């Protein structure tokens, strides 16, 4: 019985070998060269290569991923290089200092010549070949067992298996004696047995940059459409991962508004997909020439829109940000590194996994989007200082998070602020409209930065407005905290404190401040707002215009809910965040916010006198 089982598994590996060998025959020399180059570039970015004093590497033949670029870079960096030589059923490594040290050996594979020194680096990085691998790093070799026998004795080697992507199959049968490589590197994927370090993530993002920046609009749109479709197709998987995060959040007593931010539903996943599809429909800003002027000396000097490069995003709770960030960065040719909160780690990992599948299926490296898996705060702080790899950092979340990023980052930061959003009900307001707008802005979603947190009411309408408004808000059990005049207007309001005027509650709580004039309303709002979104309800054109001109915020509304401050609602597709600063970007940040410009100059031989 045992022999029968082994034979059956052996036949399965035999079939895998047969299929892969057939695929190799159809591989073009150009595809092999490009794939091998990508693999080597990814390995160069890894700490394990950077820190290795010696590299033990197989000599490729018969359509295997080439190791020559690895060998030559190792020699260039002064690392020792060793290649294997077969003696009967055993394999031993010998140092080689040039290709002249090699000759045809076992099965005509290049091997070190007699006289080469036997290698003795027990912790050298060892590059493992193979016929096929699966996503668990199970390996199908050539059936001779050389590497399993060698590694069973020499256990200290860090190991990297390399293969082309067609060599990754759904499943490779594994036996008890099989030794799995620490990681598998293909042109498009890196399958690890450990988390990547920040340095590796940064280097991989840098390596993805030129690939992304060469993509045309049609290629980018195809990937975005595929990603939108796949998110909906994999909704059950995403919801299952999200359920783990939500259950943990509820058990820990998380604020209901934050739980709402964290929660995915089929409708919200469909919204994520729709955001990606909206991006497809938008004009690609990359490559746009903004101006072109001829100077007196004949030089043509213009400006062209280009990607930022590598965008880092630190965010809390909202899994939808993961898909939004990918879509916006991908459309603008930027690689993106994400650091989500620990409360959404399972949701974020699932979304990134789905998006990475789409990238690989479209022939692009999964490192176009990377998620930092560690939930350690020290890792977050270290990420803020990865300025040698990251071009811009965008925080999304609480005031505490944003403050920490602004104060600790050595990377340029686009600040996305918190939302203490006000609605001012003017003396001339349509009160029925006011109640509808306030109810929507406060209760439609409480855990978002564009929800109304503060109400300012002209004293002439406070007695008429508040009783009606309170009855409406009681439907959602909203707690009202008001000043003296608000308390006198209706029962059931809690006295407000000075702290209430500046708070972002993210809860069913609303502060109410009474004012005697538009001037007082504007002064109060500009003192306590966070520069996000402010609204006036009025029938007075002059007051509306003054409010629009004098309120200092990224978005200012007349007779509309603050809940519209959103990239999707503004027609930007998904959004990367809502900037409350004034340099580079302000308000909902769509595609343009993730670009910069460079000067392009055409001459015909001009030299500066």
């Amino acid at each position: 019985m045992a022999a029968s089982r082994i034979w059956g598994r052996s036949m399965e590996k035999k079939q895998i070998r047969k299929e892969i060998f057939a695929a190799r025959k159809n591989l073009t020399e150009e595809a092999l060269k490009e794939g091998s180059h990508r693999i080597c570039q990814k390995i160069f970015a890894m700490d394990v290569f950077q820190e290795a004093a010696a590299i033990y590497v197989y000599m490729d033949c018969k359509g295997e991923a080439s190791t020559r670029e690895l060998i030559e870079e190792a020699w260039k960096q002064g690392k020792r290089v060793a290649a294997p030589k077969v003696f009967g059923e055993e394999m031993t490594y010998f140092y080689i200092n040039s290709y002249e040290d090699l000759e045809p050996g076992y099965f005509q594979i290049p091997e070190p010549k007699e006289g080469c020194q036997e290698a003795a680096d027990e912790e050298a990085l060892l590059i493992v070949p193979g016929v096929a691998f699966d996503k668990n790093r199970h390996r199908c070799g050539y059936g001779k067992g050389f590497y399993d026998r060698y590694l069973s004795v020499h256990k200290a080697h860090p190991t990297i298996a390399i293969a082309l992507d067609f060599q990754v199959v759904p499943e490779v049968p594994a036996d008890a004696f099989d030794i799995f490589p620490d990681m598998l590197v293909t042109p498009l994927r890196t399958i690890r047995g450990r988390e990547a370090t920040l340095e590796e993530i940064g280097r991989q993002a840098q390596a993805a940059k030129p690939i992304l920046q060469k993509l045309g609009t049609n290629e980018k749109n195809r990937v975005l459409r595929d990603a939108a479709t796949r998110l909906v197709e994999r909704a059950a998987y995403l919801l299952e991962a999200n359920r783990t995060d939500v259950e943990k959040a509820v058990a820990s007593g998380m604020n209901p508004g934050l739980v709402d931010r964290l929660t995915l539903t089929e409708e919200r996943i469909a919204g994520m997909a729709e955001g990606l599809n909206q991006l497809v429909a938008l004009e690609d800003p990359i490559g746009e020439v903004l101006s072109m002027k001829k100077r007196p000396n004949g030089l043509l000097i213009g400006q062209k829109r280009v990607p930022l490069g590598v965008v880092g995003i630190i965010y809390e709770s909202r899994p939808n940000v993961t898909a939004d960030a990918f879509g916006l960065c991908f459309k603008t040719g930027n690689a993106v590194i994400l650091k989500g909160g620990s409360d959404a780690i399972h949701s974020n990992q699932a979304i990134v996994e789905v998006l990475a599948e789409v990238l690989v299926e479209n022939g692009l490296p999964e490192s176009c989007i990377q998620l930092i898996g560690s939930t350690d705060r020290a890792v977050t702080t270290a990420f803020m200082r990865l300025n040698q790899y990251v071009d811009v950092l965008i925080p999304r979340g609480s005031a505490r998070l944003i403050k920490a990023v602004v104060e600790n980052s050595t990377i340029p930061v686009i600040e996305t602020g918190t939302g203490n959003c006000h609605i001012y009900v003017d003396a001339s307001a349509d009160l029925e409209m006011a109640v509808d707008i306030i109810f929507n802005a406060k209760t439609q979603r409480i855990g978002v930065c564009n929800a109304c947190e503060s109400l300012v009411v002209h004293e002439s309408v406070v007695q008429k407005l508040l009783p009606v408004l309170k009855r409406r808000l009681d439907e959602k059990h909203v707690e009202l905290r008001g000043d003296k005049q608000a308390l006198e207007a209706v029962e059931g309001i809690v006295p407000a404190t000075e702290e209430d005027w500046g708070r972002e509650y993210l809860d069913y709580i609303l502060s109410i401040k009474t004012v005697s004039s538009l001037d007082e309303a504007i002064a109060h709002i500009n003192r306590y707002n966070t520069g996000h979104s402010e609204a006036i309800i009025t029938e007075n054109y002059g007051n509306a215009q003054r409010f629009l001109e004098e309120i200092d915020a990224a978005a200012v509304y007349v007779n509309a809910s603050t809940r519209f401050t959103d990239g999707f609602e503004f027609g930007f597709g998904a959004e990367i965040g809502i900037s409350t600063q004034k340099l580079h970007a302000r308000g909902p940040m769509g595609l343009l916010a993730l670009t910069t410009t460079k000067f392009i100059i055409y001459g015909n031989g001009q030299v500066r006198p």
Side-chain angles (χ1 to χ4, degrees):
M1 290 294 291
S4 174
R5 284 197 299 271
I6 293 171
W7 177 252
R9 294 169 72 84
S10 176
M11 283 295 291
E12 191 174 346
K13 283 191 175 182
K14 185 176 180 180
Q15 183 61 33
I16 290 172
R17 293 187 187 102
K18 181 179 179 181
E19 292 179 4
I20 297 299
F21 290 154
R24 276 186 185 176
K25 292 180 179 178
N26 295 323
L27 188 67
T28 66
E29 186 176 337
E30 182 181 358
L32 177 60
K33 183 179 179 181
E34 175 62 21
S36 300
H37 172 69
R38 286 196 184 185
I39 289 170
C40 292
Q41 289 296 313
K42 290 172 74 172
I43 293 175
F44 297 156
M46 294 178 178
D47 291 350
V48 69
F49 179 84
Q50 297 278 325
E51 296 165 3
I55 310 294
Y56 286 16
V57 58
Y58 73 86
M59 304 307 302
D60 58 273
C61 68
K62 300 177 183 177
E64 290 178 308
S66 174
T67 58
R68 287 188 171 244
E69 192 174 347
L70 269 177
I71 292 169
E72 290 160 13
E73 181 64 23
W75 280 334
K76 181 180 177 182
Q77 294 187 22
K79 301 179 189 291
R80 294 182 294 279
V81 176
K85 186 178 181 71
V86 170
F87 297 94
E89 293 189 350
E90 301 301 323
M91 183 175 71
T92 304
Y93 281 85
F94 293 86
Y95 295 124
I96 58 172
N97 298 309
S98 74
Y99 295 126
E100 296 296 317
D101 290 337
L102 298 168
E103 64 183 5
Y106 182 78
F107 276 95
Q108 298 302 301
I109 298 169
E111 291 186 343
K113 293 178 179 177
E114 188 173 344
C116 290
Q117 181 184 352
E118 185 173 341
D121 300 276
E122 287 299 313
E123 296 184 358
L125 170 61
L126 192 146
I127 307 300
V128 182
V131 177
F133 301 86
D134 65 18
K135 291 184 179 180
N136 295 313
R137 293 173 286 118
H138 295 167
R139 174 176 172 271
C140 174
Y142 291 85
K144 302 299 181 180
F146 291 122
Y147 281 88
D148 286 329
R149 280 192 294 275
Y150 178 85
L151 291 170
S152 68
V153 176
H154 303 275
K155 299 179 180 180
H157 290 293
T159 53
I160 298 178
I162 67 177
L164 301 176
D165 281 279
F166 71 83
Q167 293 174 256
V168 181
V169 299
E171 183 179 3
V172 171
D175 292 300
F177 54 79
D178 287 344
I179 296 176
F180 309 138
D182 297 331
M183 68 181 81
L184 169 64
V185 177
T186 77
L188 304 178
R189 284 174 279 202
T190 302
I191 301 171
R192 300 173 180 270
R194 60 164 179 82
E195 289 286 343
T197 67
L198 285 179
E199 290 281 331
E200 290 172 336
I201 289 171
R203 295 187 199 113
Q204 288 167 4
Q206 285 288 327
K209 266 195 343 185
I211 298 170
L212 280 165
Q213 292 173 4
K214 291 177 185 176
L215 294 177
T217 301
N218 290 338
E219 294 171 284
K220 290 188 282 190
N221 286 345
R222 182 182 67 246
V223 173
L224 290 172
R225 278 192 294 266
D226 289 350
T229 301
R230 188 65 56 83
L231 286 173
V232 175
E233 289 175 347
R234 299 290 298 280
Y237 174 63
L238 301 181
L239 291 173
E240 181 181 354
N242 180 248
R243 192 175 301 114
T244 301
D245 291 328
V246 171
E247 288 174 355
K248 182 180 177 182
V250 172
S252 68
M254 181 183 282
N255 177 297
L258 297 180
V259 173
D260 177 65
R261 280 186 175 190
L262 174 62
T263 302
L264 287 178
T265 63
E266 288 192 2
E267 182 180 4
R268 290 180 183 178
I269 292 172
M272 289 158 52
E274 177 57 26
L276 296 180
N277 282 322
Q278 279 201 8
L279 289 174
V280 171
L282 294 177
E283 185 176 351
D284 187 348
I286 300 302
E288 177 188 3
V289 176
L290 304 177
S291 65
M292 185 64 70
K293 294 183 179 179
K294 189 172 185 178
R295 299 290 297 149
N297 62 4
L299 286 177
L300 284 172
I301 301 178
Q303 277 187 296
K304 182 179 181 180
R305 198 175 293 283
V306 297
L308 289 170
V310 176
V311 177
I313 303 175
I314 301 177
Y315 58 110
E316 297 173 328
S317 295
R318 300 181 184 178
N320 65 291
V321 173
T322 305
D324 293 349
F326 164 75
L328 285 160
C329 289
F330 188 80
K331 179 86 176 195
T332 49
N334 294 293
V336 62
I337 301 173
L338 303 172
K339 177 65 181 74
S342 59
D343 48 2
I345 186 65
H346 298 93
S347 307
N348 293 334
Q349 287 173 335
I351 294 169
V352 169
E353 181 184 327
V354 170
L355 296 173
E357 288 174 0
V358 173
L359 288 167
V360 170
E361 289 170 9
N362 280 275
L364 296 169
E366 61 184 3
S367 54
C368 294
I369 177 173
Q370 296 179 86
L371 177 72
I372 298 171
S374 173
T375 57
D376 188 338
R377 288 187 179 180
V379 173
T380 306
T381 302
F383 180 38
M384 298 177 198
R385 296 168 184 167
L386 209 64
N387 55 293
Q388 68 269 46
Y389 302 116
V390 181
D391 295 292
V392 66
L393 191 59
I394 303 172
R396 285 191 64 171
S398 66
R400 176 179 52 80
L401 168 69
I402 294 165
K403 183 173 185 287
V405 173
V406 170
E407 292 179 352
N408 289 287
S409 178
T410 59
I411 305 167
V413 176
I414 299 178
E415 186 174 348
T416 61
T418 54
N420 180 27
C421 303
H422 296 74
I423 292 178
Y424 169 54
V425 183
D426 191 31
S428 65
D430 179 328
L431 298 188
E432 184 178 351
M433 176 195 291
V435 169
D436 287 341
I437 289 173
I438 296 165
F439 182 80
N440 174 265
K442 177 70 255 182
T443 70
Q444 197 252 350
R445 280 191 72 183
I446 60 168
V448 290
C449 58
N450 56 18
C452 176
E453 305 284 27
S454 300
L455 180 62
V456 180
V457 185
H458 194 278
E459 62 184 8
S460 66
V461 296
V462 69
Q463 294 286 342
K464 294 180 181 178
L465 174 69
L466 292 192
V468 179
L469 178 62
K470 187 176 185 305
R471 284 196 297 272
R472 185 75 180 278
L473 292 176
D474 280 347
E475 297 174 15
K476 296 286 188 177
H477 308 289
V478 177
E479 177 184 315
L480 301 180
R481 299 181 182 179
D483 60 10
K484 181 180 178 182
Q485 286 173 275
L487 293 171
E488 292 173 352
V490 65
E491 293 183 357
I493 296 181
V494 177
T497 66
E498 177 68 19
E499 182 185 3
D500 284 306
W501 306 139
R503 281 193 63 181
E504 181 187 35
Y505 296 111
L506 301 175
D507 203 348
Y508 288 101
I509 305 172
L510 181 69
S511 70
I512 304 173
K513 173 68 175 177
T514 308
V515 295
S516 59
S517 66
L518 175 62
D519 287 332
E520 188 180 351
I522 291 172
H524 177 85
I525 292 170
N526 281 340
R527 178 180 177 184
Y528 291 103
N529 79 0
T530 53
H532 197 294
S533 301
E534 313 297 335
I536 182 173
I537 314 301
T538 186
E539 296 296 302
N540 185 306
Y541 176 80
N543 287 354
Q545 291 304 112
R546 277 197 59 202
F547 193 86
L548 289 173
E549 291 172 6
E550 297 179 30
I551 288 294
D552 187 9
V556 187
Y557 293 82
V558 175
N559 295 333
S561 171
T562 56
R563 283 285 289 117
F564 287 102
T565 307
D566 178 87
F568 185 88
E569 295 293 340
F570 279 22
F572 300 161
E575 71 174 36
I576 207 73
I578 297 172
S579 171
T580 54
Q581 66 181 34
K582 298 178 182 178
L583 293 178
H584 179 71
R586 196 180 193 194
M589 292 187 290
L591 296 174
L592 292 181
L594 293 176
T595 68
T596 184
T597 61
K598 67 180 177 183
F599 284 97
I600 52 175
I601 302 98
Y602 293 93
N604 57 2
Q606 288 90 339
V607 294
R608 186 168 180 173

